[in-house]
Every structure is written in C-alpha cells, then in structure tokens.
C-alpha cells in the first residue's frame, strides 16, 4: 500500500471506530486528520512525512522533548525487569525511589516551613490526583472529629479535570454546566482574571479586591469549609489566566487564618512550566496538598501524585477496625514504567540545568509576544514562564469578544497548522506551551508563525 492509500485507510478506520476527547465528532468526520507517527525533540512527524512544531507540548506534557534518550532508556531498562506490579499490598523500588525524589524536590523548591510535605499518594492522571485531594481533605476533618467541615471553596474559571469530583470544583461553564445536576455544591470565589475583572476593578488600584471577596465568603462559612482548591499562578484551561502578584500568597494566608486546607493543583503548572519547578514557589507558598501529573514523567506515560503533610497522613492512622484507612486506589497506581520515566525526568532537570537555561528562553518568548500584543485583534497577552494565552477580541477598545460560533481560536490554529505549527486554542484564547527543551530558533519560529496566523485570520 502506498503512503496515501495507507493514510486514507487509517482515516477511514479512525472515523469508524474512534470517539475523540473534547471533540465535536460531527466536525471531526468532515475534516482530514493529522496522523502522527513519530516525534523528535520539539517536533512531530505525520504519516506523510511532514514535520510540525509541537507548540503545546502534546497538550501540556512534554518537558525535555520527544524521544529523549535518557527517558527512553529508563523505560526500556525497566521493561526488561517488570512492566507492572501493584502498590496494593506490595511495593517496588522505583515507586520508593521516586517518592523520595519528589519529597526532596518539593521541599528544596519551596521556602522551608515547619509543615513540609512528606507523603506521596500515587495515581495515574490529573483528575484522580484531584479526587484524592478532595477525599483526603474531607476525611481528614472527619477523622479529627470536626464533622461540619465538609464543603469546598473553589474559584471561577478553574479546571481540575473531568471526573465528577473534579468537575464539581471546576468553574468553566461550557465544559461543566451540563453536568451540574450530578455535582456537589461548592462555594465560589471570583477568578483573578484582571483583563475581565468580574468585580469591575483594576489592578493594582483594586488592592486585590478578589481576595477580599474570597475572605467574605470564608468569614461566613469557614466552619463548613474543609479545603480550598486552586491552580497556583495560572488558571490554565480557563484561558491561561495569570493571577496578579500577591494573590496566591493572600490565598495561603486566608487558608491558614481560617483553618482551611489549601489544595494546590499543579497538574499543569508543575515541572518547570511557569519558570520555577512549581508555581507555588513564585510567592513562597507551601500548600497542604500538592497535586501533580502532566509533566511528571517528562510527558511519556500516565502518572500522578497527591503529596501531603505528616499531619494529614497521621489523622488516618489507627487500628484497622476503626476504619480510618484511606479507602482509595487505582489499579495502575505507581506503575513501574511510569515511575522510571519520572525519575529520569527529574534527573534531567538537574543534569541539564533545565530551569536555568529556561530563563533566557522565557525572555525571548516575552519579547516575541510583545509584537503579538500590538496586533489589532489581540486584546490581552498573558505569560507566566512557558505558559502563554493570547486572547483575541473583536474590538480591542471595548474588549468585545468574538462569539463562540466564529471559532476564531480554531481558525488561527488551523492556519498555524498549514504553516507547520501544531497548537490548540481555548475558545478565543490561543495557547502556546512549548516543551521546556525548545531551542531559541524553534521558539522564534513558534512566535513568528503564531503572529502570522493571527494576523492573517483576524485582519
Ligand atoms: C489537565 C489538568 C487536570 C486533569 O488532568 P487529566 O490527566 O487530564 O485528568 C487537572 N488540573 C489541571 C490544572 C489540568 O491542567
């Protein structure tokens, strides 16, 4: 079979058998899909042999690039020993080694505090890491005998995953509203979305009024609130919304003051994406629970961890008959191949001084973005490290948004695709999130193509 015939064959089978995530399949059926067969560094190759720049790190996961020798070898080496063994009633060397590495990484990254994070609970994706955080926080207060603390405070525009608990604490209407009858109720604080402030304020004149609004909710309800769930520094799926300076620190202060567990969702921001190993570091904040996934394996395999304190762990200790056990676990929890890739990923950060070289590239990206900011339909450009959101608007002066049906974000991404760049929008927000390993030239190409695509589609 020739390449074209092979491609058409696969396309037919895809359309016959597959249902893609977050995809209107009616549209998918009308389009010609890109079939990826290979990757190398910052690039992906399709079945016809065309290379594309991976501008969103294969949906926010790739760290050191595709086919990174050290990670490839770590997985291959582990395959020759064992590919899966359980953590239910057994243990294995790589889960142990990785847990130690994660605890050391977390505590060396954050400003030291007496209540450091000491225990790792594994799972296999970001949503489950959040479910675990929610259930742990709930049960912690039950075990402590503070039974009325059973609700959660979440933030508008938040995204914590797609399982029912994670959706309950999420705040993106177009994803979450349909399921509202299934969800538990949470208290909602305003989103720190300065470009479209829901309190009609302006930073810094506002003196962080969104925090004051949060405190008002907490003041009235703290006796019922078990935990506060937050994406530190950047609300990612909500549109790459970067919180203003002082906000995260303020949230930590409120949690401590009112005895609420702070659950940090660093599924997207963790592992260098914001320029620091973890986003909480930007404001010297230590959460009570840290949820990580996406970048943990360097973008190779599914793995997640919910990392918590000795205090929370200790509350679950007791005689078996007291039933204080945390009855939660996923079959592939702590999979050895995933752990092998995660260990190799963390070692690469040290060996290649990934975070140090990243700083110069963040600056190059910032300079490139300043030109995109000047385009006539770019309303706001938000950047924290290697997380970027470019918000397109119909009218720059009035900030009038494009309507949903104009699919402006998609049009820009399709145009970029024709020019050899793969990116995926969030509504009217064009997202850039390249692998941390991207070269300076590739970074310039990323910015250049994005700028041309936006210009051609909007002007
Ligand atoms: C992607 C994401 C999740 C969900 O992770 P999955 O692995 O897709 O379940 C949760 N929180 C944040 C902030 C994310 O970006």
């Amino acid at each position: 079979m020739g390449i074209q015939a092979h491609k058409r064959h696969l396309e037919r089978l895809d359309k016959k058998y597959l249902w893609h995530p977050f995809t209107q399949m009616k549209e998918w059926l009308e389009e010609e899909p890109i079939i990826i067969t290979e990757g190398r560094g910052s690039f992906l190759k399709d079945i016809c042999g065309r290379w594309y720049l991976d501008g969103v790190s294969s949906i926010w996961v790739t760290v050191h690039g595709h086919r990174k020798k050290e990670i490839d070898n770590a997985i291959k080496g582990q395959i020759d020993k064992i590919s899966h063994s359980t953590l239910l009633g057994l243990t294995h060397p790589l889960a142990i080694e990785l847990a130690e590495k994660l605890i050391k990484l977390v505590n060396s990254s954050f400003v030291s505090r007496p209540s450091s994070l000491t225990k790792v609970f594994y799972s296999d994706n970001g949503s489950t890491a959040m479910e675990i955080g929610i259930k742990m926080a709930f049960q912690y207060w039950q075990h402590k005998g503070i039974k009325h603390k059973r609700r959660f405070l979440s933030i508008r525009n938040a995204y914590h995953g797609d399982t029912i608990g994670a959706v309950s604490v999420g705040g993106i209407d177009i994803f979450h509203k349909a399921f509202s009858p299934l969800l538990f109720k949470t208290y909602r604080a305003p989103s720190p979305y300065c470009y479209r402030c829901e309190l009609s304020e302006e930073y810094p004149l506002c003196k962080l009024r969104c925090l004051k609004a949060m405190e008002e909710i907490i003041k009235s309800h703290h006796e019922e609130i078990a935990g506060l769930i937050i994406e530190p520094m950047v609300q990612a799926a909500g549109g790459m919304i970067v919180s203003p300076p002082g906000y995260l620190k303020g949230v930590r202060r409120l949690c401590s003051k009112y005895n609420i567990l702070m659950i940090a969702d660093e599924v997207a921001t963790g592992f260098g994406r914001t320029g620091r190993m973890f986003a909480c570091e930007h404001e010297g904040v230590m959460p009570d629970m840290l949820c990580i996934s996406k970048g943990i394996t360097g973008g190779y395999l599914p793995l997640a961890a919910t990392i918590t304190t000795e205090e929370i762990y200790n509350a679950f200790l007791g005689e078996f008959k007291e039933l204080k056990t945390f009855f939660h676990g996923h079959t592939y929890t702590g999979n050895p191949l995933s752990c092998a890739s995660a260990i190799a990923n963390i070692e690469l950060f040290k060996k290649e001084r990934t975070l140090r070289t990243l700083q110069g590239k963040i600056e190059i990206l910032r300079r490139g973005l300043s030109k995109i900011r000047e385009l006539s339909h770019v309303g706001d450009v938000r950047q924290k490290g290697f997380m970027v959101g470019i918000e397109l608007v119909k009218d720059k002066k009035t900030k009038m948004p494009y309507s949903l049906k104009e699919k402006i974000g998609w049009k820009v991404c399709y145009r970029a695709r024709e020019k050899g760049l793969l990116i995926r929008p969030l509504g009217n927000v064009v997202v850039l999130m390249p692998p941390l390993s991207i070269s300076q030239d590739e970074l310039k190409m990323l910015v250049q193509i994005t700028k041309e695509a936006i210009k051609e589609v909007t002007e």
Side-chain angles (χ1 to χ4, degrees), residues 341-382:
S341 57
I343 290 166
N345 173 41
I346 293 170
E347 284 173 350
L348 278 166
F349 269 96
K350 280 208 196 83
K351 185 176 144 212
E352 300 195 338
R353 299 171 186 241
T354 306
L355 292 177
R356 191 180 298 178
T357 28
L358 186 60
Q359 306 311 316
K361 292 189 274 187
I362 290 171
E363 188 51 31
I364 291 173
L365 183 56
R366 195 188 62 75
R367 284 201 297 268
L369 290 171
S370 68
K371 302 215 180 71
I372 290 182
R373 198 182 293 267
E374 291 161 9
L375 299 178
S376 55
H377 290 274
V378 170
D380 194 23
V381 176
R382 300 180 279 272

mmCIF file of all heavy atoms in Angstrom, residues 341-382:
data_model
loop_
_atom_site.group_PDB
_atom_site.id
_atom_site.type_symbol
_atom_site.label_atom_id
_atom_site.label_comp_id
_atom_site.label_asym_id
_atom_site.label_seq_id
_atom_site.Cartn_x
_atom_site.Cartn_y
_atom_site.Cartn_z
ATOM 1 N N SER A 341 10.179 6.601 34.091
ATOM 2 C CA SER A 341 10.284 7.806 33.263
ATOM 3 C C SER A 341 10.286 9.067 34.137
ATOM 4 O O SER A 341 10.982 10.040 33.828
ATOM 5 C CB SER A 341 9.183 7.857 32.202
ATOM 6 O OG SER A 341 7.920 7.783 32.774
ATOM 7 N N ALA A 342 9.556 9.042 35.244
ATOM 8 C CA ALA A 342 9.524 10.209 36.135
ATOM 9 C C ALA A 342 10.881 10.438 36.797
ATOM 10 O O ALA A 342 11.340 11.580 36.919
ATOM 11 C CB ALA A 342 8.435 10.042 37.192
ATOM 12 N N ILE A 343 11.522 9.365 37.204
ATOM 13 C CA ILE A 343 12.847 9.504 37.825
ATOM 14 C C ILE A 343 13.835 10.079 36.809
ATOM 15 O O ILE A 343 14.586 11.017 37.109
ATOM 16 C CB ILE A 343 13.335 8.130 38.347
ATOM 17 C CG1 ILE A 343 12.492 7.711 39.555
ATOM 18 C CG2 ILE A 343 14.814 8.179 38.726
ATOM 19 C CD1 ILE A 343 12.652 6.247 39.958
ATOM 20 N N ALA A 344 13.797 9.542 35.586
ATOM 21 C CA ALA A 344 14.703 10.049 34.542
ATOM 22 C C ALA A 344 14.406 11.524 34.252
ATOM 23 O O ALA A 344 15.321 12.336 34.067
ATOM 24 C CB ALA A 344 14.564 9.213 33.276
ATOM 25 N N ASN A 345 13.136 11.877 34.247
ATOM 26 C CA ASN A 345 12.729 13.271 34.008
ATOM 27 C C ASN A 345 13.331 14.203 35.061
ATOM 28 O O ASN A 345 13.937 15.224 34.734
ATOM 29 C CB ASN A 345 11.196 13.339 34.033
ATOM 30 C CG ASN A 345 10.650 14.754 33.964
ATOM 31 O OD1 ASN A 345 11.154 15.589 33.210
ATOM 32 N ND2 ASN A 345 9.632 15.042 34.766
ATOM 33 N N ILE A 346 13.197 13.828 36.329
ATOM 34 C CA ILE A 346 13.695 14.681 37.419
ATOM 35 C C ILE A 346 15.225 14.776 37.361
ATOM 36 O O ILE A 346 15.799 15.849 37.549
ATOM 37 C CB ILE A 346 13.213 14.142 38.784
ATOM 38 C CG1 ILE A 346 11.690 14.304 38.886
ATOM 39 C CG2 ILE A 346 13.905 14.861 39.940
ATOM 40 C CD1 ILE A 346 11.053 13.614 40.069
ATOM 41 N N GLU A 347 15.873 13.657 37.048
ATOM 42 C CA GLU A 347 17.341 13.691 36.955
ATOM 43 C C GLU A 347 17.813 14.605 35.825
ATOM 44 O O GLU A 347 18.823 15.289 35.949
ATOM 45 C CB GLU A 347 17.890 12.264 36.773
ATOM 46 C CG GLU A 347 17.847 11.511 38.100
ATOM 47 C CD GLU A 347 18.205 10.026 37.983
ATOM 48 O OE1 GLU A 347 18.306 9.526 36.838
ATOM 49 O OE2 GLU A 347 18.367 9.395 39.046
ATOM 50 N N LEU A 348 17.030 14.631 34.728
ATOM 51 C CA LEU A 348 17.396 15.504 33.607
ATOM 52 C C LEU A 348 17.335 16.981 33.996
ATOM 53 O O LEU A 348 18.141 17.787 33.526
ATOM 54 C CB LEU A 348 16.483 15.234 32.411
ATOM 55 C CG LEU A 348 16.883 14.026 31.562
ATOM 56 C CD1 LEU A 348 15.743 13.632 30.623
ATOM 57 C CD2 LEU A 348 18.155 14.318 30.762
ATOM 58 N N PHE A 349 16.363 17.349 34.828
ATOM 59 C CA PHE A 349 16.279 18.748 35.289
ATOM 60 C C PHE A 349 17.605 19.161 35.926
ATOM 61 O O PHE A 349 18.094 20.272 35.711
ATOM 62 C CB PHE A 349 15.154 18.923 36.312
ATOM 63 C CG PHE A 349 13.831 19.295 35.704
ATOM 64 C CD1 PHE A 349 12.880 18.323 35.415
ATOM 65 C CD2 PHE A 349 13.526 20.618 35.417
ATOM 66 C CE1 PHE A 349 11.653 18.664 34.861
ATOM 67 C CE2 PHE A 349 12.304 20.977 34.868
ATOM 68 C CZ PHE A 349 11.369 19.989 34.585
ATOM 69 N N LYS A 350 18.176 18.253 36.721
ATOM 70 C CA LYS A 350 19.452 18.561 37.395
ATOM 71 C C LYS A 350 20.589 18.561 36.393
ATOM 72 O O LYS A 350 21.338 19.515 36.280
ATOM 73 C CB LYS A 350 19.736 17.494 38.463
ATOM 74 C CG LYS A 350 18.964 17.713 39.737
ATOM 75 C CD LYS A 350 19.719 17.130 40.943
ATOM 76 C CE LYS A 350 18.780 17.011 42.140
ATOM 77 N NZ LYS A 350 17.973 15.790 42.108
ATOM 78 N N LYS A 351 20.690 17.439 35.649
ATOM 79 C CA LYS A 351 21.828 17.241 34.760
ATOM 80 C C LYS A 351 21.912 18.345 33.702
ATOM 81 O O LYS A 351 22.989 18.845 33.400
ATOM 82 C CB LYS A 351 21.680 15.873 34.082
ATOM 83 C CG LYS A 351 22.857 15.469 33.223
ATOM 84 C CD LYS A 351 22.687 14.048 32.661
ATOM 85 C CE LYS A 351 23.257 13.982 31.261
ATOM 86 N NZ LYS A 351 22.548 13.038 30.392
ATOM 87 N N GLU A 352 20.783 18.724 33.152
ATOM 88 C CA GLU A 352 20.794 19.701 32.054
ATOM 89 C C GLU A 352 20.512 21.126 32.522
ATOM 90 O O GLU A 352 20.376 22.027 31.715
ATOM 91 C CB GLU A 352 19.782 19.264 30.975
ATOM 92 C CG GLU A 352 20.123 17.902 30.406
ATOM 93 C CD GLU A 352 19.401 17.571 29.118
ATOM 94 O OE1 GLU A 352 18.341 18.172 28.834
ATOM 95 O OE2 GLU A 352 19.897 16.688 28.385
ATOM 96 N N ARG A 353 20.388 21.297 33.833
ATOM 97 C CA ARG A 353 20.056 22.621 34.398
ATOM 98 C C ARG A 353 18.912 23.261 33.621
ATOM 99 O O ARG A 353 18.968 24.424 33.196
ATOM 100 C CB ARG A 353 21.274 23.543 34.350
ATOM 101 C CG ARG A 353 22.436 22.998 35.161
ATOM 102 C CD ARG A 353 23.677 23.824 34.897
ATOM 103 N NE ARG A 353 24.813 23.199 35.575
ATOM 104 C CZ ARG A 353 25.519 23.796 36.529
ATOM 105 N NH1 ARG A 353 25.235 24.990 36.921
ATOM 106 N NH2 ARG A 353 26.514 23.156 37.087
ATOM 107 N N THR A 354 17.891 22.479 33.448
ATOM 108 C CA THR A 354 16.764 22.873 32.601
ATOM 109 C C THR A 354 16.173 24.231 33.022
ATOM 110 O O THR A 354 15.896 25.085 32.175
ATOM 111 C CB THR A 354 15.671 21.793 32.683
ATOM 112 O OG1 THR A 354 16.261 20.539 32.353
ATOM 113 C CG2 THR A 354 14.519 22.085 31.744
ATOM 114 N N LEU A 355 16.006 24.422 34.320
ATOM 115 C CA LEU A 355 15.350 25.655 34.768
ATOM 116 C C LEU A 355 16.237 26.883 34.549
ATOM 117 O O LEU A 355 15.736 27.966 34.270
ATOM 118 C CB LEU A 355 14.944 25.555 36.241
ATOM 119 C CG LEU A 355 13.819 24.548 36.506
ATOM 120 C CD1 LEU A 355 13.522 24.439 37.995
ATOM 121 C CD2 LEU A 355 12.548 24.921 35.745
ATOM 122 N N ARG A 356 17.549 26.666 34.645
ATOM 123 C CA ARG A 356 18.439 27.804 34.427
ATOM 124 C C ARG A 356 18.405 28.256 32.966
ATOM 125 O O ARG A 356 18.223 29.439 32.682
ATOM 126 C CB ARG A 356 19.862 27.462 34.865
ATOM 127 C CG ARG A 356 20.733 28.708 34.896
ATOM 128 C CD ARG A 356 22.154 28.431 35.323
ATOM 129 N NE ARG A 356 22.218 27.893 36.674
ATOM 130 C CZ ARG A 356 23.367 27.543 37.259
ATOM 131 N NH1 ARG A 356 24.506 27.685 36.603
ATOM 132 N NH2 ARG A 356 23.372 27.054 38.481
ATOM 133 N N THR A 357 18.546 27.308 32.014
ATOM 134 C CA THR A 357 18.534 27.699 30.596
ATOM 135 C C THR A 357 17.157 28.205 30.174
ATOM 136 O O THR A 357 17.044 28.973 29.226
ATOM 137 C CB THR A 357 18.899 26.535 29.642
ATOM 138 O OG1 THR A 357 18.532 25.321 30.258
ATOM 139 C CG2 THR A 357 20.357 26.527 29.307
ATOM 140 N N LEU A 358 16.150 27.778 30.912
ATOM 141 C CA LEU A 358 14.797 28.206 30.561
ATOM 142 C C LEU A 358 14.630 29.726 30.703
ATOM 143 O O LEU A 358 13.895 30.354 29.932
ATOM 144 C CB LEU A 358 13.802 27.470 31.481
ATOM 145 C CG LEU A 358 12.329 27.649 31.210
ATOM 146 C CD1 LEU A 358 11.972 27.158 29.815
ATOM 147 C CD2 LEU A 358 11.495 26.880 32.245
ATOM 148 N N GLN A 359 15.321 30.330 31.681
ATOM 149 C CA GLN A 359 15.086 31.752 31.975
ATOM 150 C C GLN A 359 15.334 32.642 30.746
ATOM 151 O O GLN A 359 14.535 33.534 30.456
ATOM 152 C CB GLN A 359 15.939 32.225 33.165
ATOM 153 C CG GLN A 359 15.780 31.387 34.442
ATOM 154 C CD GLN A 359 14.336 31.125 34.850
ATOM 155 O OE1 GLN A 359 13.497 32.031 34.824
ATOM 156 N NE2 GLN A 359 14.024 29.888 35.227
ATOM 157 N N GLY A 360 16.414 32.364 30.012
ATOM 158 C CA GLY A 360 16.714 33.158 28.815
ATOM 159 C C GLY A 360 15.646 32.970 27.747
ATOM 160 O O GLY A 360 15.274 33.917 27.041
ATOM 161 N N LYS A 361 15.137 31.736 27.644
ATOM 162 C CA LYS A 361 14.117 31.456 26.621
ATOM 163 C C LYS A 361 12.779 32.118 26.982
ATOM 164 O O LYS A 361 12.042 32.564 26.098
ATOM 165 C CB LYS A 361 13.963 29.936 26.453
ATOM 166 C CG LYS A 361 15.213 29.295 25.826
ATOM 167 C CD LYS A 361 15.017 27.836 25.453
ATOM 168 C CE LYS A 361 15.281 26.912 26.609
ATOM 169 N NZ LYS A 361 15.260 25.481 26.207
ATOM 170 N N ILE A 362 12.509 32.200 28.283
ATOM 171 C CA ILE A 362 11.283 32.891 28.722
ATOM 172 C C ILE A 362 11.344 34.355 28.287
ATOM 173 O O ILE A 362 10.349 34.938 27.846
ATOM 174 C CB ILE A 362 11.119 32.776 30.261
ATOM 175 C CG1 ILE A 362 10.786 31.332 30.647
ATOM 176 C CG2 ILE A 362 10.061 33.748 30.781
ATOM 177 C CD1 ILE A 362 10.816 31.060 32.143
ATOM 178 N N GLU A 363 12.532 34.927 28.373
ATOM 179 C CA GLU A 363 12.742 36.329 27.998
ATOM 180 C C GLU A 363 12.572 36.505 26.475
ATOM 181 O O GLU A 363 11.935 37.460 26.032
ATOM 182 C CB GLU A 363 14.146 36.743 28.468
ATOM 183 C CG GLU A 363 14.459 38.206 28.342
ATOM 184 C CD GLU A 363 13.406 39.121 28.949
ATOM 185 O OE1 GLU A 363 12.757 38.722 29.944
ATOM 186 O OE2 GLU A 363 13.213 40.226 28.410
ATOM 187 N N ILE A 364 13.112 35.569 25.701
ATOM 188 C CA ILE A 364 12.948 35.623 24.235
ATOM 189 C C ILE A 364 11.465 35.534 23.877
ATOM 190 O O ILE A 364 10.950 36.284 23.036
ATOM 191 C CB ILE A 364 13.719 34.466 23.559
ATOM 192 C CG1 ILE A 364 15.217 34.696 23.700
ATOM 193 C CG2 ILE A 364 13.319 34.316 22.092
ATOM 194 C CD1 ILE A 364 16.066 33.530 23.227
ATOM 195 N N LEU A 365 10.775 34.643 24.557
ATOM 196 C CA LEU A 365 9.341 34.481 24.328
ATOM 197 C C LEU A 365 8.606 35.783 24.675
ATOM 198 O O LEU A 365 7.744 36.244 23.931
ATOM 199 C CB LEU A 365 8.819 33.302 25.178
ATOM 200 C CG LEU A 365 7.359 32.915 25.038
ATOM 201 C CD1 LEU A 365 6.992 32.598 23.593
ATOM 202 C CD2 LEU A 365 7.042 31.688 25.924
ATOM 203 N N ARG A 366 8.993 36.373 25.798
ATOM 204 C CA ARG A 366 8.345 37.614 26.234
ATOM 205 C C ARG A 366 8.528 38.717 25.174
ATOM 206 O O ARG A 366 7.579 39.422 24.824
ATOM 207 C CB ARG A 366 8.940 38.079 27.568
ATOM 208 C CG ARG A 366 8.116 39.138 28.291
ATOM 209 C CD ARG A 366 8.835 39.710 29.512
ATOM 210 N NE ARG A 366 10.082 40.380 29.144
ATOM 211 C CZ ARG A 366 10.163 41.575 28.571
ATOM 212 N NH1 ARG A 366 9.066 42.262 28.312
ATOM 213 N NH2 ARG A 366 11.327 42.092 28.256
ATOM 214 N N ARG A 367 9.734 38.809 24.642
ATOM 215 C CA ARG A 367 9.991 39.840 23.621
ATOM 216 C C ARG A 367 9.178 39.571 22.354
ATOM 217 O O ARG A 367 8.608 40.480 21.764
ATOM 218 C CB ARG A 367 11.488 39.915 23.294
ATOM 219 C CG ARG A 367 12.288 40.630 24.375
ATOM 220 C CD ARG A 367 13.610 41.151 23.817
ATOM 221 N NE ARG A 367 14.475 40.060 23.370
ATOM 222 C CZ ARG A 367 15.395 39.479 24.137
ATOM 223 N NH1 ARG A 367 15.587 39.890 25.369
ATOM 224 N NH2 ARG A 367 16.139 38.484 23.673
ATOM 225 N N GLY A 368 9.104 38.308 21.956
ATOM 226 C CA GLY A 368 8.320 37.954 20.775
ATOM 227 C C GLY A 368 6.849 38.278 20.975
ATOM 228 O O GLY A 368 6.169 38.795 20.080
ATOM 229 N N LEU A 369 6.372 38.006 22.169
ATOM 230 C CA LEU A 369 4.951 38.230 22.449
ATOM 231 C C LEU A 369 4.604 39.714 22.441
ATOM 232 O O LEU A 369 3.474 40.091 22.126
ATOM 233 C CB LEU A 369 4.582 37.613 23.805
ATOM 234 C CG LEU A 369 4.569 36.075 23.844
ATOM 235 C CD1 LEU A 369 4.419 35.584 25.275
ATOM 236 C CD2 LEU A 369 3.449 35.512 22.966
ATOM 237 N N SER A 370 5.573 40.553 22.764
ATOM 238 C CA SER A 370 5.268 41.990 22.813
ATOM 239 C C SER A 370 4.864 42.483 21.418
ATOM 240 O O SER A 370 4.104 43.441 21.294
ATOM 241 C CB SER A 370 6.454 42.772 23.374
ATOM 242 O OG SER A 370 7.525 42.717 22.457
ATOM 243 N N LYS A 371 5.362 41.819 20.361
ATOM 244 C CA LYS A 371 4.954 42.217 18.994
ATOM 245 C C LYS A 371 3.544 41.698 18.694
ATOM 246 O O LYS A 371 2.760 42.361 18.015
ATOM 247 C CB LYS A 371 5.943 41.669 17.975
ATOM 248 C CG LYS A 371 7.356 42.155 18.260
ATOM 249 C CD LYS A 371 8.151 42.396 16.984
ATOM 250 C CE LYS A 371 9.543 42.887 17.327
ATOM 251 N NZ LYS A 371 10.386 41.806 17.916
ATOM 252 N N ILE A 372 3.233 40.525 19.220
ATOM 253 C CA ILE A 372 1.889 39.973 19.007
ATOM 254 C C ILE A 372 0.848 40.844 19.713
ATOM 255 O O ILE A 372 -0.256 41.065 19.219
ATOM 256 C CB ILE A 372 1.840 38.506 19.507
ATOM 257 C CG1 ILE A 372 2.670 37.619 18.573
ATOM 258 C CG2 ILE A 372 0.400 38.008 19.635
ATOM 259 C CD1 ILE A 372 2.673 36.149 18.895
ATOM 260 N N ARG A 373 1.251 41.370 20.858
ATOM 261 C CA ARG A 373 0.365 42.237 21.643
ATOM 262 C C ARG A 373 -0.130 43.438 20.838
ATOM 263 O O ARG A 373 -1.224 43.948 21.071
ATOM 264 C CB ARG A 373 1.142 42.725 22.869
ATOM 265 C CG ARG A 373 0.321 43.264 24.020
ATOM 266 C CD ARG A 373 1.255 43.744 25.125
ATOM 267 N NE ARG A 373 1.990 42.640 25.741
ATOM 268 C CZ ARG A 373 1.593 41.986 26.819
ATOM 269 N NH1 ARG A 373 0.479 42.326 27.413
ATOM 270 N NH2 ARG A 373 2.308 41.001 27.311
ATOM 271 N N GLU A 374 0.713 43.885 19.872
ATOM 272 C CA GLU A 374 0.350 45.090 19.110
ATOM 273 C C GLU A 374 -0.686 44.824 18.022
ATOM 274 O O GLU A 374 -1.256 45.757 17.463
ATOM 275 C CB GLU A 374 1.614 45.678 18.451
ATOM 276 C CG GLU A 374 2.575 46.272 19.468
ATOM 277 C CD GLU A 374 3.992 46.427 18.903
ATOM 278 O OE1 GLU A 374 4.178 46.235 17.674
ATOM 279 O OE2 GLU A 374 4.897 46.731 19.691
ATOM 280 N N LEU A 375 -0.945 43.564 17.680
ATOM 281 C CA LEU A 375 -1.899 43.265 16.605
ATOM 282 C C LEU A 375 -3.291 43.788 16.971
ATOM 283 O O LEU A 375 -3.665 43.835 18.146
ATOM 284 C CB LEU A 375 -1.949 41.758 16.333
ATOM 285 C CG LEU A 375 -0.643 41.101 15.870
ATOM 286 C CD1 LEU A 375 -0.822 39.606 15.696
ATOM 287 C CD2 LEU A 375 -0.160 41.736 14.573
ATOM 288 N N SER A 376 -4.053 44.143 15.922
ATOM 289 C CA SER A 376 -5.284 44.896 16.189
ATOM 290 C C SER A 376 -6.394 44.070 16.831
ATOM 291 O O SER A 376 -7.336 44.630 17.373
ATOM 292 C CB SER A 376 -5.784 45.546 14.891
ATOM 293 O OG SER A 376 -5.928 44.546 13.911
ATOM 294 N N HIS A 377 -6.301 42.739 16.783
ATOM 295 C CA HIS A 377 -7.341 41.936 17.430
ATOM 296 C C HIS A 377 -6.821 41.110 18.601
ATOM 297 O O HIS A 377 -7.443 40.141 19.009
ATOM 298 C CB HIS A 377 -8.047 41.052 16.396
ATOM 299 C CG HIS A 377 -8.904 41.845 15.464
ATOM 300 N ND1 HIS A 377 -10.211 42.191 15.753
ATOM 301 C CD2 HIS A 377 -8.623 42.423 14.260
ATOM 302 C CE1 HIS A 377 -10.700 42.919 14.768
ATOM 303 N NE2 HIS A 377 -9.766 43.079 13.841
ATOM 304 N N VAL A 378 -5.686 41.508 19.106
ATOM 305 C CA VAL A 378 -5.160 40.845 20.301
ATOM 306 C C VAL A 378 -5.499 41.719 21.505
ATOM 307 O O VAL A 378 -5.006 42.834 21.641
ATOM 308 C CB VAL A 378 -3.637 40.611 20.178
ATOM 309 C CG1 VAL A 378 -3.046 40.155 21.506
ATOM 310 C CG2 VAL A 378 -3.364 39.581 19.083
ATOM 311 N N GLY A 379 -6.386 41.239 22.350
ATOM 312 C CA GLY A 379 -6.835 42.030 23.496
ATOM 313 C C GLY A 379 -5.877 41.946 24.660
ATOM 314 O O GLY A 379 -5.578 42.930 25.324
ATOM 315 N N ASP A 380 -5.397 40.740 24.918
ATOM 316 C CA ASP A 380 -4.551 40.547 26.100
ATOM 317 C C ASP A 380 -3.567 39.421 25.797
ATOM 318 O O ASP A 380 -3.922 38.447 25.144
ATOM 319 C CB ASP A 380 -5.437 40.157 27.299
ATOM 320 C CG ASP A 380 -4.705 40.266 28.632
ATOM 321 O OD1 ASP A 380 -3.720 41.023 28.729
ATOM 322 O OD2 ASP A 380 -5.131 39.591 29.596
ATOM 323 N N VAL A 381 -2.339 39.599 26.247
ATOM 324 C CA VAL A 381 -1.347 38.520 26.149
ATOM 325 C C VAL A 381 -0.887 38.214 27.564
ATOM 326 O O VAL A 381 -0.418 39.093 28.274
ATOM 327 C CB VAL A 381 -0.140 38.937 25.283
ATOM 328 C CG1 VAL A 381 0.909 37.829 25.275
ATOM 329 C CG2 VAL A 381 -0.591 39.238 23.863
ATOM 330 N N ARG A 382 -1.099 36.974 27.973
ATOM 331 C CA ARG A 382 -0.726 36.588 29.340
ATOM 332 C C ARG A 382 0.400 35.561 29.274
ATOM 333 O O ARG A 382 0.325 34.615 28.488
ATOM 334 C CB ARG A 382 -1.936 35.987 30.058
ATOM 335 C CG ARG A 382 -3.101 36.967 30.143
ATOM 336 C CD ARG A 382 -4.283 36.355 30.862
ATOM 337 N NE ARG A 382 -5.097 35.499 30.033
ATOM 338 C CZ ARG A 382 -6.132 35.895 29.279
ATOM 339 N NH1 ARG A 382 -6.459 37.170 29.243
ATOM 340 N NH2 ARG A 382 -6.823 35.026 28.562
#
